[in-house]
Amino acid sequence: MSLLTYFFIPRSRMILQCLNNVKFPISERRTFTFQYISSSKTYFSLPFKNRLISNSEPCTVKFLSWTSQKSFNFRISVYRTFRTSPPRNVHPAVWIVLRPALKVAAVVTGRGIRKWWRNLPKDKKRYFLNELKANRRKIGIALSLILCLSVGYYLSHLELTPITKRRRFMAFNPKQLDRINEFELEQIMENFGPKMLPPNHPAVRRVERVVRRIIAANADIKELEGKKFGISVIDSTIENAFVIPLGHVFVFSGMLNLCSNDDQLGIILSHEIAHCIMNHGAENVSFVHLLDLISLVIIAAIWAVIPNDSVSLLSHWLYQKCIQLFLELPYNRTIEVEADFVGLQLAAKACFDVRESSAFWNKMAFLSKTFGNGPEIEFLSTHPSHEKRSEYLDSLMEQALQLRSSCGCPRLSYRDPRLDVATANLALELTRRKFFELNKKPENIFKV
């Protein structure tokens, strides 16, 4: 009695006839996908499985035979096709460079179609319209196929975020993104290298102490395993901090001056490390990539359908603004809110005083109103307003305090809410003195 087993291997296929007590020697270690097919009047297939065949552990498989269920122990010799050179993935930066060129090509294509149609004689136009009507079924099938392939591309690139388990679209693989991040790190080092403070500077040691505390308390997170964070403090009045996905922390000295204590600095750096853990930078690039792919078709249609160049240009501009206001900016704000949520958890596990999070953003709101260039319009910003962030963090405070307590952190002392106002007033006074001494106008408060 025998069974036919089909083994599917990348770029090749072979069929083996497996008999009872027959063993096939292993040639080398391989990972592949295989499918079992057994016969009982009609053929049916068991679910696909992935199995690693090794020299030390033979594969044990159960088949459903014609008479009874039997277990076969056998070893398989797997052959595969080979490449004379390693596969080369397109660098994702190529797409960033091609973005404007492809949009220009879409404009030129749409405008060319419009001119071609306008210059056609009436009989030719009638002929093409009749052809479209006659072949509308074929055209519909072709468009449906394109739509199905597009949906398949989108669904095949969906994944879940590490902590919040939110479904998102990721267009690039980790190796491609590492290249972008390495290039980004080189550019940052080249631009800010002369302003970097030495490793033994107190500001660098302060940031290093806070970062180590966050990483040590969150070592159970898979995305932080084996990642070594570099630390750089940039001597600049800019009030900002960021962490690139490779694991390098950049803090401007202006942000250190803005943080009243290490708890507030821990909140800010936890937020930035949350961006790194969640890989929000790659997610944002993928989202823009998806919008650009869709926009190419719409832009070409705008320039092809609208009969006037000036109206087409205005429609093109309005379309880009609508995409920015209703898709890109809300998506960025969603990412920031998620980083606030995850960052608060990281800070709580690191035993920071999480109440300082809302105090910090209250202070930022106060300074922004005092020194800003007018009211902050959240609808036009990539970040939520300072007041909204403070309110959102306050809504998470009970959960964060419980998490902090469950980690065995020391008990927090009673906090008078009026201290937040006092802290803001103190920061305001210090900021006034600083600007008076430098004889400068107040700068805008940078977003974190």
Side-chain angles (χ1 to χ4, degrees):
M1 181 171 58
S2 65
L3 293 173
L4 288 180
T5 307
Y6 292 79
F7 294 89
F8 290 89
I9 311 171
R11 297 186 176 272
S12 65
R13 188 183 78 173
M14 64 179 177
I15 302 174
L16 296 178
Q17 190 173 18
C18 302
L19 302 175
N20 289 353
N21 301 322
V22 174
K23 294 185 177 182
F24 298 90
I26 290 180
S27 59
E28 56 184 77
R29 190 180 181 92
R30 286 289 180 267
T31 303
F32 59 93
T33 302
F34 55 87
Q35 179 186 21
Y36 302 120
I37 299 177
S38 62
S39 175
S40 176
K41 292 184 180 180
T42 58
Y43 284 94
F44 67 96
S45 60
L46 300 180
F48 284 89
K49 297 180 181 178
N50 291 326
R51 185 70 61 87
L52 179 62
I53 306 299
S54 66
N55 291 325
S56 59
E57 299 178 1
C59 181
T60 303
V61 188
K62 289 186 178 181
F63 292 104
L64 185 64
S65 67
W66 285 296
T67 57
S68 62
Q69 190 171 359
K70 293 184 178 181
S71 178
F72 294 84
N73 292 326
F74 59 91
R75 294 182 178 182
I76 305 168
S77 178
V78 180
Y79 301 94
R80 65 172 184 177
T81 57
F82 63 91
R83 298 173 183 267
T84 57
S85 61
R88 293 182 176 87
N89 295 320
V90 177
H91 198 295
V94 173
W95 176 256
I96 299 174
V97 175
L98 287 178
R99 281 181 61 197
L102 291 174
K103 289 183 179 180
V104 171
V107 171
V108 173
T109 302
R111 194 168 181 270
I113 293 173
R114 185 184 67 197
K115 283 191 172 184
W116 169 78
W117 180 258
R118 183 182 296 174
N119 295 331
L120 279 178
K122 289 185 178 180
D123 57 336
K124 286 286 187 181
K125 291 181 180 179
R126 194 178 303 112
Y127 168 77
F128 280 114
L129 290 175
N130 291 334
E131 285 293 314
L132 288 176
K133 290 180 181 178
N135 296 283
R136 60 181 179 271
R137 186 172 182 179
K138 294 181 180 179
I139 296 173
I141 293 174
L143 293 177
S144 300
L145 181 60
I146 293 173
L147 180 61
C148 290
L149 291 175
S150 301
V151 173
Y153 170 76
Y154 175 78
L155 295 177
S156 64
H157 286 76
L158 291 178
E159 66 175 34
L160 297 177
T161 53
I163 297 176
T164 58
K165 303 303 177 183
R166 174 177 55 86
R167 196 173 294 276
R168 63 180 176 185
F169 173 81
M170 293 290 281
F172 305 109
N173 60 48
K175 290 183 179 179
Q176 289 175 313
L177 295 170
D178 286 343
R179 295 179 185 177
I180 285 186
N181 296 328
E182 288 171 2
F183 177 76
E184 181 185 10
L185 179 59
E186 291 176 1
Q187 292 297 312
I188 294 173
M189 288 298 186
E190 184 177 345
N191 294 334
F192 295 105
K195 296 183 178 180
M196 298 287 186
L197 295 178
N200 57 353
H201 193 279
V204 179
R205 290 181 177 176
R206 179 189 178 191
V207 174
E208 184 179 0
R209 183 174 63 251
V210 172
V211 170
R212 284 184 176 179
R213 183 173 167 183
I214 297 171
I215 301 304
N218 295 276
D220 58 320
I221 298 177
K222 181 181 177 181
E223 285 70 22
L224 292 178
E225 289 180 2
K227 183 170 287 190
K228 297 181 180 179
F229 281 81
I231 296 171
S232 297
V233 177
I234 303 169
D235 187 14
S236 172
T237 57
I238 296 176
E239 292 149 344
N240 199 6
F242 59 92
V243 179
I244 63 174
L246 286 178
H248 201 104
V249 181
F250 291 93
V251 182
F252 293 86
S253 56
M255 175 56 69
L256 295 178
N257 296 332
L258 192 63
C259 294
S260 305
N261 49 52
D262 283 355
D263 291 311
Q264 292 187 2
L265 181 60
I267 296 294
I268 297 302
L269 293 182
S270 295
H271 170 90
E272 298 303 331
I273 292 174
H275 277 308
C276 179
I277 293 173
M278 307 297 287
N279 210 0
H280 282 159
E283 179 183 350
N284 197 25
V285 171
S286 299
F287 182 71
V288 173
H289 167 77
L290 180 64
L291 291 181
D292 285 341
L293 290 178
I294 299 172
S295 296
L296 292 177
V297 179
I298 298 177
I299 290 171
I302 289 174
W303 285 88
V305 174
I306 299 177
N308 188 281
D309 282 348
S310 58
V311 180
S312 297
L313 183 63
L314 178 61
S315 301
H316 186 175
W317 180 82
L318 287 174
Y319 168 74
Q320 296 282 21
K321 286 298 178 183
C322 288
I323 289 294
Q324 182 182 11
L325 291 176
F326 298 107
L327 292 176
E328 291 183 6
L329 293 179
Y331 197 82
N332 287 330
R333 291 195 292 268
T334 299
I335 287 175
E336 291 298 327
V337 170
E338 187 176 56
D340 280 340
F341 172 76
V342 176
L344 193 64
Q345 291 186 351
L346 301 182
K349 291 170 68 176
C351 296
F352 288 107
D353 188 350
V354 291
R355 299 173 299 180
E356 290 287 352
S357 58
S358 59
F360 177 83
W361 290 112
N362 279 329
K363 178 173 64 177
M364 291 288 285
F366 184 77
L367 294 176
S368 181
K369 288 179 180 178
T370 306
F371 292 132
N373 295 325
E376 188 180 15
I377 303 176
E378 182 177 334
F379 182 69
L380 302 176
S381 175
T382 58
H383 290 60
S385 65
H386 301 322
E387 292 88 348
K388 286 285 183 67
R389 295 181 85 166
S390 178
E391 293 173 3
Y392 175 70
L393 291 168
D394 273 335
S395 68
L396 302 174
M397 200 56 58
E398 183 177 354
Q399 178 184 354
L401 289 172
Q402 290 177 356
L403 176 61
R404 185 183 184 279
S405 177
S406 66
C407 294
C409 300
R411 258 185 101 179
L412 294 172
S413 59
Y414 170 74
R415 181 185 180 90
D416 190 342
R418 292 174 295 179
L419 291 177
D420 295 342
V421 179
T423 302
N425 288 330
L426 176 60
L428 174 61
E429 182 62 28
L430 293 175
T431 308
R432 279 177 178 167
R433 292 179 184 178
K434 179 179 67 174
F435 286 124
F436 282 142
E437 290 174 0
L438 297 176
N439 194 21
K440 289 184 178 180
K441 293 183 178 180
E443 298 178 357
N444 292 330
I445 303 299
F446 284 76
K447 298 184 184 303
V448 180

